[in-house]
PDB file of all heavy atoms in Angstrom:
ATOM      1  N   ILE T 149      65.845  -5.654  48.426  1.00 98.00           N
ATOM      2  CA  ILE T 149      65.361  -6.915  47.853  1.00 98.00           C
ATOM      3  C   ILE T 149      63.919  -7.173  48.262  1.00 98.00           C
ATOM      4  O   ILE T 149      63.558  -7.082  49.444  1.00 98.00           O
ATOM      5  CB  ILE T 149      66.240  -8.106  48.355  1.00 98.00           C
ATOM      6  CG1 ILE T 149      67.729  -7.845  48.098  1.00 98.00           C
ATOM      7  CG2 ILE T 149      65.778  -9.426  47.732  1.00 98.00           C
ATOM      8  CD1 ILE T 149      68.095  -7.683  46.632  1.00 98.00           C
ATOM      9  N   LEU T 150      63.112  -7.527  47.274  1.00 98.00           N
ATOM     10  CA  LEU T 150      61.737  -7.948  47.545  1.00 98.00           C
ATOM     11  C   LEU T 150      61.742  -9.457  47.760  1.00 98.00           C
ATOM     12  O   LEU T 150      62.336 -10.195  46.974  1.00 98.00           O
ATOM     13  CB  LEU T 150      60.843  -7.606  46.346  1.00 98.00           C
ATOM     14  CG  LEU T 150      59.425  -8.190  46.376  1.00 98.00           C
ATOM     15  CD1 LEU T 150      58.579  -7.520  47.451  1.00 98.00           C
ATOM     16  CD2 LEU T 150      58.757  -8.046  45.010  1.00 98.00           C
ATOM     17  N   GLY T 151      61.104  -9.908  48.829  1.00 98.00           N
ATOM     18  CA  GLY T 151      60.982 -11.345  49.082  1.00 98.00           C
ATOM     19  C   GLY T 151      59.549 -11.796  48.890  1.00 98.00           C
ATOM     20  O   GLY T 151      58.612 -11.070  49.260  1.00 98.00           O
ATOM     21  N   ILE T 152      59.389 -12.975  48.312  1.00 99.00           N
ATOM     22  CA  ILE T 152      58.044 -13.532  48.103  1.00 99.00           C
ATOM     23  C   ILE T 152      58.027 -14.970  48.620  1.00 99.00           C
ATOM     24  O   ILE T 152      58.914 -15.766  48.298  1.00 99.00           O
ATOM     25  CB  ILE T 152      57.662 -13.487  46.603  1.00 99.00           C
ATOM     26  CG1 ILE T 152      57.541 -12.024  46.148  1.00 99.00           C
ATOM     27  CG2 ILE T 152      56.344 -14.230  46.349  1.00 99.00           C
ATOM     28  CD1 ILE T 152      57.231 -11.859  44.663  1.00 99.00           C
ATOM     29  N   GLU T 153      57.034 -15.273  49.441  1.00 98.00           N
ATOM     30  CA  GLU T 153      56.940 -16.614  50.040  1.00 98.00           C
ATOM     31  C   GLU T 153      55.544 -17.175  49.804  1.00 98.00           C
ATOM     32  O   GLU T 153      54.539 -16.567  50.187  1.00 98.00           O
ATOM     33  CB  GLU T 153      57.247 -16.486  51.547  1.00 98.00           C
ATOM     34  CG  GLU T 153      56.641 -17.540  52.468  1.00 98.00           C
ATOM     35  CD  GLU T 153      57.109 -18.963  52.226  1.00 98.00           C
ATOM     36  OE1 GLU T 153      58.265 -19.169  51.817  1.00 98.00           O
ATOM     37  OE2 GLU T 153      56.286 -19.884  52.419  1.00 98.00           O
ATOM     38  N   THR T 154      55.489 -18.352  49.155  1.00 98.00           N
ATOM     39  CA  THR T 154      54.197 -19.012  48.897  1.00 98.00           C
ATOM     40  C   THR T 154      54.345 -20.541  49.009  1.00 98.00           C
ATOM     41  O   THR T 154      53.736 -21.268  48.235  1.00 98.00           O
ATOM     42  CB  THR T 154      53.662 -18.677  47.476  1.00 98.00           C
ATOM     43  OG1 THR T 154      54.625 -19.149  46.518  1.00 98.00           O
ATOM     44  CG2 THR T 154      53.387 -17.217  47.266  1.00 98.00           C
ATOM     45  N   SER T 155      55.157 -21.014  49.966  1.00 98.00           N
ATOM     46  CA  SER T 155      55.417 -22.461  49.984  1.00 98.00           C
ATOM     47  C   SER T 155      54.227 -23.276  50.471  1.00 98.00           C
ATOM     48  O   SER T 155      54.117 -24.460  50.177  1.00 98.00           O
ATOM     49  CB  SER T 155      56.639 -22.775  50.840  1.00 98.00           C
ATOM     50  OG  SER T 155      56.376 -22.457  52.183  1.00 98.00           O
ATOM     51  N   CYS T 156      53.338 -22.628  51.236  1.00 95.00           N
ATOM     52  CA  CYS T 156      52.196 -23.394  51.753  1.00 95.00           C
ATOM     53  C   CYS T 156      50.944 -22.516  51.798  1.00 95.00           C
ATOM     54  O   CYS T 156      50.449 -22.119  50.750  1.00 95.00           O
ATOM     55  CB  CYS T 156      52.572 -23.966  53.123  1.00 95.00           C
ATOM     56  SG  CYS T 156      51.414 -25.211  53.706  1.00 95.00           S
ATOM     57  N   ASP T 157      50.477 -22.176  52.976  1.00 94.00           N
ATOM     58  CA  ASP T 157      49.201 -21.447  53.047  1.00 94.00           C
ATOM     59  C   ASP T 157      49.352 -20.027  53.579  1.00 94.00           C
ATOM     60  O   ASP T 157      48.401 -19.457  54.108  1.00 94.00           O
ATOM     61  CB  ASP T 157      48.188 -22.227  53.891  1.00 94.00           C
ATOM     62  CG  ASP T 157      48.659 -22.443  55.314  1.00 94.00           C
ATOM     63  OD1 ASP T 157      49.875 -22.410  55.552  1.00 94.00           O
ATOM     64  OD2 ASP T 157      47.808 -22.647  56.194  1.00 94.00           O
TER      65      ASP T 157
END
Side-chain angles (χ1 to χ4, degrees):
I149 307 299
L150 170 70
I152 294 177
E153 154 63 32
T154 61
S155 66
C156 193
D157 60 337

